[in-house]
Amino acid sequence: MRWSYLTDGDTYDPGGWQVGKSVASTPVVPAARPAAPPTADVFGSYALRDAALDLAGAGLSAATTGTTAETAPRFVVGLAKEPAFTAYGVDGSGATSFTDLALFIQAG
């Protein structure tokens, strides 16, 4: 599935599936670093969002995966930057919103 995360000032038109970026936002220039691995529970409080925002700013990583804390069953959650992926930030503070991040969940 595709995941978009919008913040203050962004807009979404559900009829056209179009995202509008805040006038204050600029494209993120990824840093020359790998993405940090997600926490031990990718479904924990804000962990998935934080992993996605970190991946957006990581120029040396195209994808990351994490697992759930549950073990019966355990799930693997993956995030990947596909060609349509874009990330935006405000005042050079890193990614604050993104569009078209690929997300998959599988039993693991």
Side-chain angles (χ1 to χ4, degrees):
M1 76 179 80
R2 294 179 315 164
W3 177 20
S4 293
Y5 180 78
L6 307 180
T7 55
D8 190 33
D10 295 334
T11 60
Y12 178 69
D13 171 18
W17 289 60
Q18 296 296 314
V19 171
K21 305 311 301 167
S22 165
V23 295
S25 65
T26 58
V28 167
V29 177
R33 64 168 180 82
T39 64
D41 181 12
V42 74
F43 285 158
S45 181
Y46 300 106
L48 188 59
R49 183 214 54 193
D50 292 348
L53 291 172
D54 183 67
L55 177 62
L60 300 180
S61 296
T64 190
T65 60
T67 58
T68 58
E70 295 82 8
T71 58
R74 171 162 279 156
F75 293 96
V76 176
V77 179
L79 304 171
K81 297 183 220 176
E82 294 190 343
F85 173 78
T86 55
Y88 292 85
V90 177
D91 298 329
S93 60
T96 57
S97 59
F98 57 82
T99 60
D100 293 320
L101 184 66
L103 181 142
F104 68 86
I105 302 171
Q106 63 188 36

